[in-house]
């Protein structure tokens, strides 16, 4: 029924070669795994930016792969002067010290200004509006206490292998940090 | 009222420049603070950024106001990384079982849908095995990089599976493959020569990705991934458009990314060529009906080839093989030279080299006052000095050039081996899936009349499928 060359020998040359190459591939993969296993960590690493290195260039707002950047402004309240004329909130030359859009630095009105007691005002960030443009950070850093700064928010960050913001950051401020301590918050001295 | 009096005191024409009118209430209530502010501005101009934090002391609230706390939403919990690895293992096992034992396309479609939903739209394409070789390469060459264990698992598991069961990962686990496979509606046949030529591209892309990852220049495979932006429903426009173009192409050309670009697919292809078990179209014996070839949209099914003629009649093949063998060192050298030239030319992708290039370009274009252009500030922003940046950038360039020689040489050798392979006589008695090209999608099984007989379904067009091959007996 079948031509005689169709009956294969017990182990063909091709099978033997394949088995040999397969063994070599497994050994090679094992070798690579062994080499890098020493440098691997069970803990996951996530992206974060160091506020001390940040130059408030504004690229965080536009470079993230998400439609609305994963980087947002955060506030260390203990550092804040609670200024009435907050340079993170108001334009350099405000027409009036009120919540009018023309007076605000924030392009999306994401900073909420609330009277606490004379003469102190509290500023909080509405994260649903914040786009991470760092305009308020710049004002606060230049003329204020620097209590406003940017951080990667991990409820939004998708943790790209090749972070698109880190790639363009002019200050090299982005680095991978352990997921158990995913923020580099400013502390009071 | 008080504002008017203040304005008149400071400015006799109060309505002339409205922006200069300072609110008098501020001056009256908080004059001291305003003065401090002015001093700070002046001080800043003199001292630039030497002034650090705490210019204004934090207030002592009389009303007992409690400071809000800074929220820190946590990253994805570690346990979910293990869940990802577990899902990958289960999906790989299921895909292998569906392709090799169950032989069911329907089950494979179900698994593809799940993988597309889980690894694609839920996990948003990250973590993914396609980029994982880069992480491993970076970990091999950069001792400061700590490789996440999940990335190592995503690199190893599909490859080890391919060594035993073929490309199960491509078949039903990879979301990139799934999205292309599921949109395929009217496959056209890619000419064999074009398929062969384009099939080289993934190896070049893999080499490029590994080279730039190993030198810490960036993960190009992730950067240019066309489907992740689709999974995320957001991303850079060019990549989104590329993804859309791939998807439209995938309507008519089966899995264009997998076949002609995917670098991890290239690795899996190599692995599955030596796999222990693999897809077998017919359950028992081949009737040479060719129906399976029509069923495969990926051009992965090979026709039977007769045994070779006597060696004396193979003069042309032998000569071609020998010429290629002689040319092989040249090919390797040419590949290495081209690879290193290309890597050096593209070295600007590396952020360090990029910074150094911008710095040197800014220096060359002198005549501008210092700190006038963003490029000139780059060095200061990155808090680097020229003396440490330039040697580091040169070292990266050297490493890229050296790596370009190695990987380019490997690519040249690979190309030569592929060409020499055309002169080799591969004997095939039945219609078989190509060990490397077959993605184990399970489409061909139901096209085989023998399979339909096995399942108790009589094939409609071949009611009396003869068990003996009658049409084209292999010559010889």
């Amino acid at each position: 029924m079948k031509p005689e060359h169709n009956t294969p020998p017990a182990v063909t040359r091709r099978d033997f070669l394949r088995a040999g190459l397969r063994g070599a591939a497994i050994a090679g993969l094992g070798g690579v795994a062994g080499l890098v296993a020493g440098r691997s960590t069970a803990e996951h690493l996530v992206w974060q930016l160091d506020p001390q290195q940040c130059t408030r260039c504004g690229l965080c707002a536009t470079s993230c792969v998400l439609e609305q950047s994963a980087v947002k402004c955060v506030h260390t309240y203990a550092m804040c002067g609670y200024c009435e004329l907050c340079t993170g909130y108001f334009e350099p030359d405000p027409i009036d010290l009120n919540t009018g859009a023309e007076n605000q630095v924030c392009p999306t009105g994401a900073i909420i200004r609330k009277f606490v007691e004379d003469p102190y005002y509290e500023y909080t960030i509405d994260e649903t509006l914040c786009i991470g443009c760092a305009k308020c950070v710049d004002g606060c850093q230049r003329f204020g206490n620097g209590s406003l700064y940017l951080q990667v928010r991990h409820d939004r960050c998708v943790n790209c292998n090749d972070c698109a913001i880190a790639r363009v950051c002019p200050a090299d401020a982005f680095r991978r940090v352990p997921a158990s301590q995913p923020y580099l918050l400013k502390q009071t001295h | 009222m008080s504002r008017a009096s203040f304005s008149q005191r400071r400015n006799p024409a109060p309505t002339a420049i409205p922006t200069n009118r300072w609110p008098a209430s501020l001056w009256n209530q908080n004059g001291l603070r305003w003065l401090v502010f002015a001093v700070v501005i002046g001080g800043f101009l003199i001292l630039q950024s030497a002034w650090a934090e705490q210019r204004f002391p934090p207030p002592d609230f009389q009303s007992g106001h409690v400071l809000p706390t800074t929220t820190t939403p946590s990253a994805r919990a570690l346990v979910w990384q293990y869940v990802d690895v577990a899902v990958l293992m289960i999906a790989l096992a299921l895909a292998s079982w569906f392709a090799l034992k169950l032989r069911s396309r329907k089950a494979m479609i179900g698994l593809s849908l799940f993988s597309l939903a889980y690894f694609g739209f839920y996990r948003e394409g990250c973590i993914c095995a396609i980029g994982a070789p880069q992480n491993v390469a970076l970990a091999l060459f950069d001792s400061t990089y700590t490789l996440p264990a999940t990335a190592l698992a995503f690199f190893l598991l599909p490859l080890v599976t391919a060594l035993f069961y073929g490309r199960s990962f491509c078949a039903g686990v990879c979301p990139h493959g799934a999205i292309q496979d599921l949109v395929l509606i009217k496959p056209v046949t890619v000419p064999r020569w074009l398929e062969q030529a384009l099939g080289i591209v993934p190896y070049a892309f893999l080499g490029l990705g590994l080279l730039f990852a190993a030198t810490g220049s960036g993960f190009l495979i992730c950067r240019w991934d066309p489907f992740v932006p689709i999974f995320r429903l957001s991303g850079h426009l060019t990549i989104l458009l590329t993804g859309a173009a791939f998807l439209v192409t995938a309507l008519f050309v089966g899995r264009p990314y997998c076949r002609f670009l995917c670098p991890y697919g290239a690795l899996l292809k190599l692995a599955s060529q030596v796999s222990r078990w693999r897809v077998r179209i017919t359950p028992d014996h081949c009737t040479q009906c060719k129906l399976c070839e029509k069923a495969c949209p990926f051009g992965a099914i090979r026709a039977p080839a007769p045994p070779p003629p006597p060696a004396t009649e193979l003069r042309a093949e032998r000569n071609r093989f020998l010429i290629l063998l002689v040319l092989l060192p040249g090919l390797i050298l040419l590949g290495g030279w081209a690879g290193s030239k290309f890597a050096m030319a593209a070295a600007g992708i590396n952020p360090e080299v990029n910074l150094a290039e911008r710095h040197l370009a800014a220096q060359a274009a002198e005549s501008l006052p210092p700190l006038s252009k963003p490029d000139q500030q780059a060095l200061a922003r990155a808090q680097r000095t020229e003396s440490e940046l330039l040697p580091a950038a040169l070292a990266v360039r050297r490493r890229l050039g050296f790596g370009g020689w190695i990987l380019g040489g490997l690519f040249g050798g690979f190309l030569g081996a592929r060409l020499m392979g055309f002169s080799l006589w591969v004997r095939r008695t039945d219609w078989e899936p190509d060990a490397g090209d077959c993605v184990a999608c399970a489409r061909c099984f139901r096209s085989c009349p023998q399979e339909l007989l096995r399942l108790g379904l009589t094939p409609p067009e071949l009611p009396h499928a003869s068990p003996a091959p009658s049409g084209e007996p292999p010559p010889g």
Side-chain angles (χ1 to χ4, degrees):
Chain A
M1 190 159 78
K2 286 183 178 179
E4 60 178 328
H5 64 257
N6 267 13
T7 47
V11 177
T12 63
R13 185 171 53 194
R14 211 189 289 182
D15 284 343
F16 180 74
L17 273 175
R18 258 183 202 148
L21 284 172
R22 186 164 61 243
I26 291 172
L29 282 178
V32 168
L35 272 177
V36 296
R39 290 178 194 158
S40 96
T41 159
E43 183 159 44
H44 219 60
L45 299 172
V46 293
W47 290 102
Q48 192 49 273
L49 76 100
D50 186 346
Q52 308 294 348
Q53 276 174 274
C54 172
T55 53
R56 295 98 65 192
C57 65
L59 285 175
C60 284
T62 52
S63 302
C64 185
V65 293
L66 297 179
E67 199 179 347
Q68 204 187 95
S69 177
V71 173
K72 298 210 178 263
C73 180
V74 298
H75 197 177
T76 294
Y77 296 94
M79 287 173 67
C80 180
Y82 282 76
C83 310
E84 184 180 12
L85 192 141
C86 170
T87 49
Y89 184 82
F90 288 112
E91 286 281 351
D93 246 352
I95 296 169
D96 211 342
L97 290 192
N98 59 29
T99 57
E102 70 277 15
N103 301 323
Q104 289 189 37
V105 146
C106 182
T108 59
I111 308 181
I112 301 153
R113 183 177 194 250
K114 200 180 81 189
F115 176 73
V116 180
E117 65 178 58
D118 195 45
Y120 300 127
Y121 284 79
E122 186 164 85
Y123 300 89
T124 47
I125 314 289
D126 182 352
E127 279 201 15
T128 56
L129 294 177
C130 176
I131 55 168
C133 67
K135 289 195 163 70
C136 61
V137 178
D138 197 46
C140 184
Q141 185 72 40
R142 279 175 188 271
F143 307 117
N145 284 357
S147 62
L148 293 172
Y149 53 95
L150 295 181
Q151 285 285 280
V152 175
R153 302 303 274 171
H154 290 295
D155 50 343
R156 297 187 49 75
C157 177
V158 290
N159 202 17
C160 294
N161 217 357
D162 190 52
C163 174
I165 312 175
R167 205 159 73 218
V168 295
C169 176
D172 254 345
F174 275 72
R175 59 171 190 255
R176 290 184 178 89
V177 298
S180 57
Q181 299 201 331
Y183 291 92
L184 299 170
L185 297 178
K186 282 190 177 178
Q187 309 286 335
T188 44
H189 308 300
Chain B
M1 185 180 70
S2 59
R3 166 189 284 198
S5 64
F6 164 62
S7 298
Q8 274 158 7
R9 238 189 307 154
R10 277 200 66 188
N11 191 344
T15 52
I17 310 159
T19 46
N20 274 358
R21 286 181 307 158
W22 296 109
S25 56
L26 172 75
W27 181 261
N28 292 344
Q29 290 169 10
N30 207 7
L32 189 64
R33 290 182 61 75
W34 189 236
L35 204 65
V36 169
F37 178 54
V39 169
V40 167
I41 293 176
F44 173 77
L45 291 177
I46 298 160
L47 296 169
Q48 290 288 347
S49 56
W51 277 55
E53 280 96 43
Q54 305 297 88
R55 293 179 183 115
F56 306 103
D60 252 341
F61 291 116
Q62 304 300 313
S63 58
H65 176 69
V66 181
L67 298 186
T69 47
T70 311
T71 58
T72 53
S74 55
R76 203 161 168 269
L78 185 61
V79 61
W80 291 108
Q81 319 291 349
Y82 295 129
V83 169
D84 287 345
V85 175
V87 171
L88 175 73
M89 286 169 84
I90 294 169
L92 281 172
L94 280 179
S96 307
W97 185 53
F98 291 163
L100 301 187
K101 271 272 174 232
L102 200 61
R103 299 163 65 85
S104 164
R105 173 69 190 152
K106 274 191 188 132
M108 198 64 94
I109 288 178
L111 183 63
S112 297
L113 281 170
F114 166 78
S115 300
L116 183 60
Y118 185 83
F119 291 113
F121 288 101
Y122 169 62
R123 293 296 290 118
E124 301 188 320
C126 261
I127 186 161
C128 113
I130 296 173
Q134 302 170 110
N135 297 60
V136 174
L138 180 58
L140 274 178
F141 288 94
D142 180 0
S143 57
T144 60
Y145 174 70
T146 43
L147 177 73
T150 41
L152 184 58
F154 268 73
F155 169 71
L156 283 179
L157 287 174
L159 268 176
V160 172
T161 310
L163 283 173
F164 287 93
Y165 303 106
R167 294 169 68 175
S168 311
F169 177 74
C170 304
V173 186
C174 177
H176 293 55
I179 196 171
Q180 295 172 85
D181 205 315
L182 293 171
V183 299
L184 178 64
I185 47 168
K186 183 133 186 53
V188 295
T189 310
V190 180
R192 186 88 185 108
W193 62 268
L194 187 63
E195 170 122 26
Q196 294 272 12
L198 288 176
I200 295 288
V201 178
Y203 295 96
F205 192 26
L206 175 69
L208 196 72
L210 291 182
L211 176 62
F212 280 84
T215 50
S217 310
F219 292 156
L220 300 186
I221 297 171
C222 299
R223 196 179 298 181
W224 296 331
D225 190 304
F227 294 111
V228 167
I230 292 174
F231 296 146
R232 287 182 183 150
L233 304 175
S234 80
H236 292 303
L237 184 65
T238 43
I239 308 286
L240 260 171
L241 289 178
T242 314
F246 264 111
L247 266 192
V248 172
T249 314
L251 296 174
F252 309 106
V253 178
R255 294 180 177 236
Y257 181 77
C258 308
R259 283 153 84 193
F260 308 129
L261 202 57
C262 180
Y264 194 67
L267 277 179
L268 290 177
K269 206 171 178 175
L270 292 178
S272 84
Q273 259 157 6
V274 296
S275 69
R276 176 76 182 80
W277 295 280
R278 61 187 53 176
V279 168
R280 193 178 142 78
I281 301 170
T282 171
D284 32 42
H285 68 275
C286 178
T287 57
Q288 318 270 333
C289 69
K290 295 191 197 177
L291 285 175
C292 52
E293 193 194 23
K294 304 246 170 17
C296 181
F298 310 123
I301 292 176
R302 302 281 170 265
T312 46
E313 291 172 29
L314 285 173
R315 182 172 286 270
E317 277 84 358
R318 214 168 44 200
N319 285 351
R320 196 167 59 206
F321 187 87
L322 282 174
I323 289 171
L324 281 166
L325 197 63
V326 171
L327 286 181
L328 192 61
L331 262 177
I332 293 174
L333 276 177
L334 189 69
W337 178 79
S340 101
K341 279 281 165 217
F342 179 79
M344 296 287 255
I349 290 176
N350 183 288
E352 198 122 281
V353 177
N354 187 291
L355 183 64
E357 279 174 358
R358 277 188 298 157
H359 174 67
L360 292 177
Q363 266 191 344
E366 237 337 291
S367 82
L368 288 162
L371 298 181
S372 63
K373 286 201 319 190
D375 278 359
Q376 287 166 311
Q377 294 172 28
L379 205 61
R381 276 172 159 181
Q383 300 175 352
R384 305 284 297 271
T385 60
E386 192 184 276
S387 57
E388 68 174 6
L389 173 71
L390 293 185
L394 273 179
V396 171
R397 267 181 70 94
R398 254 200 311 277
R399 283 216 303 277
L400 275 172
F402 182 68
W405 268 108
I406 302 271
L407 285 165
L410 276 175
F411 185 69
F414 175 77
L415 210 61
R418 283 284 288 255
L419 290 173
M420 280 168 17
F422 291 130
S423 309
L424 294 181
W425 204 272
V426 179
R427 201 179 68 181
R428 218 179 280 110
T429 52
D430 297 338
W431 291 80
E432 280 172 10
D434 185 275
D437 289 344
C438 172
V439 293
C441 69
R443 274 191 181 84
C444 51
F445 298 138
R446 282 292 181 105
S447 72
C448 181
Q450 297 300 103
E451 173 78 358
L452 293 181
L453 277 179
R454 183 183 75 93
L455 295 170
L457 308 161
T458 323
E461 288 174 28
L462 291 161
H464 305 295
S466 152
S470 54
E472 301 167 17

